[in-house]
Amino acid sequence: MSDLTGFQDISPTTLADVLGREHVMNTGIRPLWPSPPRIAGPAFTVRCPPGDNLMLHAAIHRAEPGSVLVVEAGDVDYALAGGNVCAVAQRRGIVALVADGVIRDLAEVRAMDFPVFARGVIPYPGTKKAVVPLNGEVRCGGVRVNAGDIIVADEEGIVVTPHARREEVLLSARAKLAKEADESLDAWETAHRARIDEILAENGFEG
């Protein structure tokens, strides 16, 4: 997982500043319990048609250790996964599930500390009929995700770094963090106020 070196140490907030809004999943995809650990890993992408979860169940046996399962579901009316699926995924070294859909057995999943970022919980499962290729492009939380894209997620949100840009983004993120570390709050406040006052003046604000 050499592609990941350093991403675990970069917050979604910093990555969002570097990458822009189009790489940030919307607020509908959220951690299902407070203060999850930050996760980072390459996406293993899954698409499940409405009411069906077959391919997610297939994916837990095929994704490499260190992967993040990223799922595009067709609805929020049927659970994609439950406690046993998440337990097997965790046992196989999958680091998290990020789903544009819902799960069930939340108490079980929370107790095992398997990070799940999803739209919510519903107790009724989907069927297992629809065969769809794995690791194709999916759309999750409004963001296009391809296999191998780097997913970083915690309580601040979920950011997708395209695989081809991983080195550039990591260098930019580290540079941003280094600059921030060298700047005191007093210096930041002075520069911030000057910038805000300039924008206000340019737009005719008086006060």
Side-chain angles (χ1 to χ4, degrees):
M1 294 294 172
S2 60
D3 288 350
L4 286 177
T5 303
F7 273 96
Q8 184 72 42
D9 300 325
I10 309 294
S11 73
T13 303
T14 299
L15 290 171
D17 287 345
V18 170
L19 282 161
R21 178 65 184 85
E22 66 271 22
H23 296 282
V24 179
M25 292 191 189
N26 63 46
T27 58
I29 315 297
R30 60 191 184 279
L32 294 189
W33 53 85
S35 302
R38 181 178 302 149
I39 62 95
F44 187 98
T45 56
V46 183
R47 187 167 61 83
C48 292
D52 199 281
N53 60 32
L54 175 63
M55 297 316 298
L56 175 56
H57 288 244
I60 65 170
H61 301 290
R62 290 162 174 80
E64 292 291 329
S67 299
V68 177
L69 294 174
V70 180
V71 186
E72 176 185 342
D75 58 59
V76 292
D77 298 316
Y78 299 88
L80 288 165
N84 285 343
V85 168
C86 290
V88 171
Q90 184 181 53
R91 186 163 64 181
R92 295 201 66 256
I94 294 166
V95 299
L97 169 63
V98 176
D100 201 328
V102 293
I103 70 161
R104 67 178 191 165
D105 301 333
L106 178 61
E108 291 179 36
V109 181
R110 182 174 59 231
M112 69 181 76
D113 290 327
F114 182 67
V116 176
F117 300 78
R119 290 198 177 273
V121 181
I122 200 167
Y124 196 75
T127 60
K128 295 171 182 60
K129 297 178 181 178
V131 174
V132 179
L134 293 168
N135 270 331
E137 183 177 273
V138 300
R139 194 167 183 86
C140 188
V143 178
R144 295 191 183 280
V145 185
N146 287 279
D149 290 350
I150 307 301
I151 309 297
V152 176
D154 62 19
E155 62 188 352
E156 296 288 345
I158 307 154
V159 181
V160 181
T161 298
H163 183 263
R165 295 183 60 194
R166 63 197 183 282
E167 294 180 4
E168 163 216 333
V169 168
L170 190 56
L171 286 173
S172 295
R174 284 173 169 165
K176 178 176 171 58
L177 289 173
K179 180 180 178 182
E180 291 171 351
D182 288 339
E183 185 177 45
S184 69
L185 180 58
D186 288 343
W188 183 90
E189 182 183 8
T190 298
H192 177 260
R193 179 165 185 173
R195 182 167 63 90
I196 296 303
D197 286 348
E198 181 181 0
I199 295 170
L200 292 172
E202 288 174 353
N203 288 274
F205 177 81
E206 296 180 3

